Structures are given as structure tokens and as C-alpha cells.
Amino acid sequence: MIELLQGGVYLVNGTEMIPESAEAQAAITSKTGKSVTKEEAAQSTIAYGILKEHNTSGNMDKLKIRFDKLTSHDITFVGIIQTARASGLQKFPMPYVLTNCHNSLCAVGGTINEDDHMFGLSCAKKYGGVYVPPHQAVIHQFAREMLAGGGKMILGSDSHTRYGALGTMAMGEGGPELVKQLLNQTYDINMPGVVGVYLKGAPVKGVGPQDVALAIIGAVFKNGFVKNKVMEFVGPGVANLSADFRIGIDVMTTETTCLSSIWKTDDQIKEFYEIHGRKEEFKELNPGQVAYYDGMIVVDLDKVRPMIAMPFHPSNTYTIEELNANLMDILDETEKRALVSLDGAVEFNLKNKVKNGKFMVDQGIIAGCAGGGFENICAAADILKDQFIGADTFTLSVYPASMPVYMELVKNGCAAAIMQSGAIMKTAFCGPCFGAGDTPANNAFSIRHSTRNFPNREGSKLQNGQISSVALMDARSIAATAANKGILTPATDFDGTIGQYKYYFDSKIYANRVFDSKGVANPDEEIHFGPNIKDWPAMGALPENMVLRVVSEIHDPVTTTDELIPSGETSSYRSNPLGLAEFTLSRKDPNYVGLAKEIRAAQEALMAGKCPGESCPELDLKSVFDVISKEFPEFPELVVASYQSKENAVKPRVLGFGSTIFAVKPGDGSAREQAASCQKVLGGWANIANEYATKRYRSNLINWGMLPFLIEEGELPFKNLDYLFIPGIKKAVEEKAAVIKAYVVGEDSLKEFELRLGELTDEERQIILKGCLINYNRV
């Protein structure tokens, strides 16, 4: 059902693929009557045209992008606005929408969540933004309904910021990248590669957008086929998909690790904009007569079957038929894989879910930006009509993605059909997707039409001995499973009718409740600060020389941002940098926070004019100093000069102390900047990795002044709790050194090894040198 064409591919007239070869140009000329160079064809992609329109650099190899609109939710917007305020924000220079779909439940943390909401409302008034109250819409559904536009670009502080199906190139990044836009700066990237996704055929009954998305993710994630590239959806199969179906595939492109996505548009997308009262936003988008792609993913929609992504990653995919046919073998393989993800911390068993040869599921969830769409829920309702989910352990919850969607489900009877089955209809909320709602019982198995199934993302806690797990499926097969009382069932087994429902958008719901400043700022508005909303602590500039302590060593193939900073109930502390930092790596390495604080104390001693060697006896820094001094006799003078320095805290010092972690491939998943900022406020100065899973995580490190070190694969020259000495680090960053010499501090000697920083823009180097984006803009 999925074929990957490696190397370049030409698309002619939007329908015919010609792999790059010595004969390709002749074939193109014979079909079009003209000669087109590879460079010209590369400029005929939809992606190239949109990027060109938004690039301010004048150089299409080195892009400096200004976006049309911004969007954030209540896990991220407080930190973003606080950062921008510290950097001199006066007014939102472009439409900025603050949605409230993550910290919507206020049962945990006292007034914390609602204080964040009031902060957002007051900032929308003060700086000229848009505020969407809790339960009105999840961030991406509101953006689809009210923000997207053909040929536009939107930047969001959530990794699933994807509106390509509507002709909008959208990107999810960490908060600092939105801060740059708010300060009239740019999003700087090299021109990304563009990979075509050629759709042909049409889905069979019972197959939904999540099935197509999971099939693609399973084919491209592990081999990095689209990593940091733009996925461009083309081909005759696009016309056979509704707008909702396309949206459901598009939102999941984040899980491929691509940079962004864009689709050709047609009358179905035109109708989508008309339904939402924004017909002027439609723009027909097509690749040129001859377009060149850096690779091609060919998807035969006819052959896609209901899919399941087993724990603990969206790329761990099988067809449901395949799983049911090979149950014990696949479950055994999944359990073995889980030993790596869970570090053997808890007992994890899936084979005990097999009863009488059938796999029994404990919970179903249809929710959020992926599952909560109108057509998904209507299809689920048709499958559940006149059925009941039973009175045993199995439960089903359905979260429409917005109140307008919910309203229409009520009007057309689909909500009633779902509730009559015993399922629960809930309001627009992202909780199940990140562990803040519907956490299953210990050892339970949940099937979800949502975006991710990382370890513990559903809300369980390894440190408390808890484990439950999530598999990703389409709403249709979740409904079929629910109708079968929890026996895992593909929707292709459903022999009834799945209807086509007309959608009517009620704009009054938003007009009556959403605050829209229309871009008019009110400088006299006072910002609402709750007691948990804290300013960022002062952060120093990059020192000339550095002593790092390795305080965590992670050898999993991939480390997710959820493992770096857990989601779920910890999100209540997103507005308190130091409070949230207490949870850093808590589900992966509970010792991390204490160890990071220990070495941070050495830096704090310096800043207070004290000798860190004397002030932090538990670290035995004197022995470390003695070893370094053998090969660097000037080192004792560096120490003395550093703690006797009277310079301002944000100015660079001769010597600095801090922590670092090693992870093989960190940063898969969420765009949340807190995965980096929490390390920073605990004294982190660097990450060391073989590679970074996503651009957005690496950007988060840089924007928080942390060094994104790279080290060659193989046996590490250091281990956890080792000290590393990096002399001349400031000079190396300034002079763009390709290789940076570092030393492991042994018992009697130093062991040299090499680090690299990879490509950095001049602005990124300055941010690192200043210590963080706040300092860069403030100093």
C-alpha cells in the first residue's frame, strides 16, 4: 500500500511520475514539448512558491520567514508572552490566537489553570490578540475553522500545527520561535527538501484518515525519509478524499518528523472555506506542469486497511488483520520492545489481554485534533447505532474538536447514537492526548484516535509502579471494537452503512464567546498574574571555559520530549519555570533533578563571589580542579578570576559550571520548549547526542542558550557523573569551529575527545553566546 521512491522524482502534469535518471529530461520533453531543468522543476512545487512568498532574505537557500499568523495553547502561551515581555514586547504585530484546550481542567493545582486563562485573556486585550475560552475548541480545529488560508503560513507552539490540507503551510515549533515573530524577527532555516506524497485510488469502506496516516508513518519514520522536509500531497487520489479526511491525514504528518506539509487544493477545499464563511481564503494550489521532488511516497489508497500503532510509538504499525492473525508473536515482540522504552522499571504484559484467542481492549478514545473531526465522529456513530458497548470494563469517550462540531453532531443525531451506545460525549479538550484526562487503569490497554502513544503519555507513572499503554487507531475501528464489547475489530468488518453527512458551521458560537481584539491593542489593560505565574530566572552568558557534569545518560534509540519533561498533570506548572523544572526527566531518570541542582550550586557559588570548590564539598571539585590543572596550569587562575568577577550576571565569565545529558536521539514529539528550558533553569548548558530527532527540539536548546553538541556514534568517552572540561568554548562558538576539543576528567588525567555543534546561523550563535533568546533581545 506504500511505496518509497528513493532519489529525485519528476511529477508531470500532476499525474505522471518520472524517476530522475539520464533519460528523464527526454521523457519530460516528449510529454510536455519543452525542456525543464531540475532547478526550474524544483521551483514548481507548491511548497517552494509559498516559502518564496514568505521569505525576507532574498536568498532561497537561506530562508528568513515571516509568518501570517501565530497560535498557542494554555500550556505554552504564558511562557511565550513572558519571554516576549522580558524582551520588550509592546503589541502583537500579527494575529495571535491564544486557545485554552490543554489546561482546561481545574481540579488539580488550585487556581493555577484558571489563572493562566485570565492571563491569556488580559494579554489578548493588552497586546491585540484573540482569546478562545476553555472547551470551545482544540487549538488546531479553531485554526482550521478560523485562521487557515490558501497560500498562507501559520506558526504554532504545538507540534501538530498542520493545516496543509487547507492550502496553509503550518509549522509547530517551540515557544521562542513565536517570540521571534512577536519581536519582528524571522524563522531562519535552510531551504528544506520537498518530498511528494502521491495518492492514487480511493479508500475502501471502514478505512479512515488515521489508517492512511499510520501506514505512511510506519513506512517513513525509522528511515528518516521525510525528516525536516516538507511533505507535498499530490496525485489523482487527493480528489477522492473529503476535506475532513485530508485534514485527518495531514495532522499526523508531524509523527513522520517532517518540517511541514502542503496539499494541492480543489473544489472540496473551496467548499470547506465557504461552509465556514471564509470563501475569500480559498486559493487553488497545484504543482507546476513539471515539478521536482527529493523523493516520492506512493500511497495506493485502495490497498490501505485498518491500522494499529502498537505501544510505544506511532511508527510501530500493523494492520489490525495482521495483528489478529499473529497475536501472540506480535504481542511478544511489543513486550520485548517495551523493555527498552520502560527500562524494565515495571512489569508490562499484553499477552494476558488475549481471551479465547481474541485481543480484549479496555478503553477507547476518539479525541482532539486528529480524531475529533465531524466525519470521524459521524462514522463512529453509524457503526455504534443500535449497538451498546456493554456494562463491563470497556469504556468509550468521544471528544468533538470544537463546539461548532459538537453542535452539528447534536443536530444531526450522531451525538444521540453515540450516547445511547453507552459512550460518553465530552467537550473539546486535548487531555487524553497528553495524559490529563481518561488515564486508563494500571495495565489497561487503550485504543485512541489521537496523535501519540509514547510511554506514559496517557498519564501513568513509572515512578509509582504504574503502567498502561495506548495503541493508535482510526475512529471507525475504535467504534467497531466498542460495538464488539472491546474485542479488537477492524471497521472493514462492519457490514452496515457509513453515511455522508452535510456539515453546517454555526459561527455564532464563536462570535458570542471568543474575544477578538481585531488587532487593536489596549496598552492600559493590566495583565492578570496568578501566584504561580513566575518570571524567567536570570540566565548568564556563555562562559569562556566550561566544566560540565554529565547528570543523565540515556541509550534508548529515541528519547521523546514527554520523557524529557512529562506531560499530564505537570502541565499545571507550565507558567512556573522553577516549579515545572522539578519534574524534568522524572519518568525517565528520577535522579536527574538532584544531580543537576548539585552542579548548579557550583555556578551559583561563582555568581555569589565564592569559590565553588570550597562551597560545594559534596562535588569534590578540588580533585577535579587538580586534574585539570595538570594539563592546564592556568586553570586555578580561571577559577579565582571567575568568582572574584564583579560583572553583571548576564555578562560572560571566565569559567562556568553546569550540567549536560547524553541521549542517542533526543527530541521526538512535542514542540514544548520546556523540554529544553527546564534543563536550562536547573543549570543545564548542553545536550550531547548522536543526532537530534527534530529540528524543533534542537531549536529549543539553542533558543535557551544550550549547546546542541553532536558526538559520533559508538562507545562514549564518558559516563554518567563524569566531569567534562571544555576550554575555549566561547571562542569556538564565535569562530565557528567545526570541531570542539573536550576532555573527560579522570582520576589522574584528562582524556581528549571531540564534539561538534553542527550548522548554526549567525543569529543562533549570538543567542548561545548571550545565554538565551531573552538576553539576546534584551542586552
Side-chain angles (χ1 to χ4, degrees):
M1 53 189 166
I2 307 290
E3 180 185 5
L4 304 184
L5 302 183
Q6 304 280 351
V9 177
Y10 292 91
L11 182 66
V12 180
N13 296 321
T15 59
E16 186 169 356
M17 294 172 286
I18 300 177
E20 185 177 11
S21 68
E23 297 78 29
Q25 291 298 330
I28 291 169
T29 301
S30 69
K31 294 178 183 299
T32 65
K34 60 183 179 181
S35 176
V36 178
T37 67
K38 174 180 173 179
E39 290 71 25
E40 290 171 336
Q43 294 177 19
S44 291
T45 63
I46 303 170
Y48 186 93
I50 294 176
L51 289 169
K52 184 177 181 180
E53 288 180 6
H54 291 80
N55 180 36
T56 64
S57 72
N59 178 356
M60 286 301 290
D61 292 327
K62 300 288 183 180
L63 305 178
K64 289 182 173 292
I65 300 295
R66 286 291 291 166
F67 288 83
D68 298 296
K69 300 173 184 178
L70 308 176
T71 186
S72 294
H73 53 63
D74 45 352
I75 277 183
T76 56
F77 68 59
V78 176
I80 290 168
I81 295 173
Q82 286 287 72
T83 302
R85 288 180 65 247
S87 305
L89 175 70
Q90 297 297 316
K91 181 184 183 299
F92 295 156
M94 60 186 66
Y96 185 19
V97 175
L98 311 178
T99 64
N100 294 271
C101 51
H102 281 61
N103 284 350
S104 301
L105 299 180
C106 301
V108 177
T111 69
I112 287 175
N113 293 342
E114 194 60 21
D115 286 341
D116 285 356
H117 300 159
M118 293 303 97
F119 175 93
L121 176 58
S122 61
C123 287
K125 293 178 179 179
K126 185 177 184 69
Y127 298 116
V130 177
Y131 173 84
V132 183
H135 305 289
Q136 290 294 306
V138 301
I139 176 174
H140 304 308
Q141 184 66 15
F142 186 85
R144 296 163 188 154
E145 294 169 350
M146 304 301 290
L147 300 182
K152 299 292 179 62
M153 291 191 72
I154 294 177
L155 182 66
S157 56
D158 184 273
S159 56
H160 291 96
T161 306
R162 292 285 190 270
Y163 317 126
L166 301 176
T168 304
M169 187 178 291
M171 299 177 184
E173 284 283 354
E177 292 299 331
L178 276 80
V179 172
K180 291 177 182 178
Q181 296 290 310
L182 292 174
L183 299 176
N184 292 304
Q185 295 164 7
T186 56
Y187 178 74
D188 300 346
I189 54 171
N190 292 335
M191 178 66 193
V194 182
V195 173
V197 185
Y198 186 89
L199 304 181
K200 60 182 181 179
V204 301
K205 189 187 79 171
V207 167
Q210 186 82 326
D211 298 316
V212 177
L214 293 178
I216 294 172
I217 294 165
V220 304
F221 175 80
K222 293 182 179 68
N223 56 22
F225 194 74
V226 296
K227 182 179 177 181
N228 294 332
K229 296 180 173 66
V230 178
M231 295 175 72
E232 184 161 309
F233 288 76
V234 294
V238 173
N240 297 325
L241 304 178
S242 68
D244 253 20
F245 202 111
R246 299 178 205 185
I247 286 168
I249 298 171
D250 186 63
V251 71
M252 291 298 292
T253 59
T254 295
E255 303 311 318
T256 67
T257 70
C258 73
L259 178 71
S260 187
S261 62
I262 193 68
W263 292 57
K264 59 177 291 188
T265 60
D266 55 19
D267 286 345
Q268 295 201 60
I269 302 305
K270 182 179 181 181
E271 182 185 31
F272 177 94
Y273 282 111
E274 290 173 346
I275 288 171
H276 291 84
R278 300 192 304 120
K279 62 181 181 180
E280 72 281 357
E281 293 289 0
F282 172 73
K283 182 178 182 180
E284 185 172 353
L285 299 174
N286 287 293
Q289 185 180 23
V290 180
Y292 176 85
Y293 296 94
D294 297 290
M296 189 71 75
I297 303 165
V298 181
V299 182
D300 190 339
L301 295 169
D302 294 313
K303 295 181 180 178
V304 176
R305 292 295 178 266
M307 302 291 295
I308 183 169
M310 293 293 284
F312 286 102
H313 199 275
S315 64
N316 188 18
T317 55
Y318 305 88
T319 66
I320 297 177
E321 293 171 348
E322 177 187 9
L323 174 61
N324 282 334
N326 302 278
L327 255 181
M328 301 310 286
D329 288 343
I330 293 175
L331 295 182
D332 184 66
E333 180 182 339
T334 303
E335 288 176 359
K336 290 177 180 177
R337 190 180 291 115
L339 290 175
V340 176
S341 298
L342 303 175
D343 295 324
V346 293
E347 183 179 349
F348 179 70
N349 193 311
L350 292 178
K351 292 193 287 290
N352 62 8
K353 299 292 179 187
V354 180
K355 309 294 183 185
N356 300 318
K358 304 292 186 181
F359 190 82
M360 300 299 298
V361 174
D362 301 292
Q363 182 193 66
I365 303 286
I366 300 171
C369 58
F374 177 73
E375 286 185 6
N376 288 331
I377 299 177
C378 288
D382 281 344
I383 294 170
L384 286 167
K385 190 173 183 179
D386 298 326
Q387 302 292 321
F388 64 99
I389 69 173
D392 209 332
T393 58
F394 181 84
T395 63
L396 175 63
S397 296
V398 179
Y399 293 75
S402 70
M403 286 304 292
V405 170
Y406 201 152
M407 176 71 82
E408 194 55 33
L409 294 169
V410 170
K411 289 180 177 179
N412 70 13
C414 286
I418 288 170
M419 289 188 283
Q420 286 170 352
S421 76
I424 305 297
M425 291 288 290
K426 300 185 178 181
T427 54
F429 176 44
C430 297
C433 191
F434 71 100
D438 287 298
T439 303
N442 187 53
N443 282 313
F445 188 87
S446 178
I447 53 174
R448 302 187 175 191
H449 192 156
S450 59
T451 56
R452 291 196 175 119
N453 60 338
F454 295 162
N456 305 109
R457 187 175 171 93
E458 81 299 335
S460 61
K461 298 179 181 179
L462 286 179
Q463 67 268 35
N464 292 348
Q466 304 168 3
I467 182 61
S468 53
S469 55
V470 167
L472 301 182
M473 286 170 44
D474 188 82
R476 293 150 189 80
S477 291
I478 293 173
T481 300
N484 206 8
K485 311 296 189 296
I487 297 174
L488 185 66
T489 305
T492 45
D493 285 0
F494 174 66
D495 59 5
T497 300
I498 298 177
Q500 292 187 342
Y501 293 80
K502 179 73 174 176
Y503 181 63
Y504 299 92
F505 176 74
D506 187 349
S507 62
K508 292 180 181 178
I509 293 174
Y510 292 150
N512 292 337
R513 189 70 187 99
V514 172
F515 171 79
D516 186 352
S517 70
K518 308 295 184 183
V520 178
N522 179 10
D524 296 329
E525 177 75 24
E526 289 196 14
I527 297 176
H528 178 101
F529 288 98
N532 191 60
I533 297 176
K534 305 294 185 183
D535 290 332
W536 292 103
M539 301 179 192
L542 185 70
E544 295 177 19
N545 309 277
M546 183 177 289
V547 173
L548 296 176
R549 194 183 194 199
V550 182
V551 294
S552 187
E553 189 179 348
I554 304 171
H555 290 276
D556 292 1
V558 179
T559 303
T560 70
T561 47
D562 285 280
E563 292 170 309
L564 293 167
I565 181 62
S567 54
E569 84 286 357
T570 61
S571 64
S572 292
Y573 297 91
R574 287 298 193 256
S575 307
N576 183 339
L578 292 174
L580 180 62
E582 294 292 328
F583 297 95
T584 312
L585 278 170
S586 58
R587 295 182 188 170
K588 192 67 183 174
D589 185 353
N591 295 321
Y592 167 81
V593 171
L595 293 171
K597 285 182 176 180
E598 283 183 359
I599 191 65
R600 184 183 67 178
Q603 180 66 22
E604 290 172 342
L606 274 185
M607 308 301 282
K610 301 175 183 178
C611 175
E614 297 173 359
S615 302
C616 308
E618 70 279 2
L619 294 174
D620 193 22
L621 290 176
K622 187 177 184 304
S623 297
V624 174
F625 294 172
D626 289 344
V627 174
I628 296 174
S629 299
K630 288 181 180 179
E631 293 189 39
F632 293 87
E634 70 278 15
F635 186 78
E637 296 178 7
L638 301 182
V639 178
V640 173
S642 294
Y643 72 74
Q644 288 184 347
S645 171
K646 304 298 182 184
E647 295 178 12
N648 184 281
V650 298
K651 298 291 180 64
R653 301 231 168 184
V654 179
L655 181 66
F657 293 87
S659 59
T660 188
I661 68 169
F662 168 79
V664 174
K665 189 178 179 181
D668 186 25
S670 172
R672 286 174 291 138
E673 66 183 276
Q674 293 91 351
S677 65
C678 284
Q679 296 178 56
K680 179 69 172 189
V681 300
L682 289 172
W685 268 116
N687 275 193
I688 303 175
N690 295 142
E691 66 172 303
Y692 291 95
T694 58
K695 175 208 170 292
R696 53 184 173 267
Y697 177 67
R698 184 175 182 270
S699 294
N700 283 336
L701 291 175
I702 293 166
N703 284 322
W704 285 105
M706 297 180 67
L707 295 152
F709 283 133
L710 292 165
I711 193 169
E712 293 291 333
E713 293 184 26
E715 185 177 353
L716 292 176
F718 54 80
K719 61 184 182 301
N720 199 30
L721 303 184
D722 276 350
Y723 287 92
L724 311 178
F725 178 49
I726 310 178
I729 181 60
K730 180 172 178 283
K731 183 179 180 182
V733 173
E734 289 174 334
E735 297 183 354
K736 305 181 181 181
V739 177
I740 296 170
K741 287 186 179 180
Y743 300 85
V744 181
V745 182
E747 291 185 7
D748 300 307
S749 62
L750 299 179
K751 178 182 176 182
E752 183 179 322
F753 68 102
E754 292 183 349
L755 295 168
R756 288 175 169 77
L757 282 172
E759 185 178 359
L760 293 168
T761 67
D762 290 342
E763 290 83 358
E764 288 174 333
R765 290 181 185 278
Q766 287 301 311
I767 291 168
I768 290 173
L769 290 168
K770 295 290 187 181
C772 64
L773 182 65
I774 294 174
N775 293 352
Y776 172 76
N777 286 302
R778 176 191 285 158
V779 178

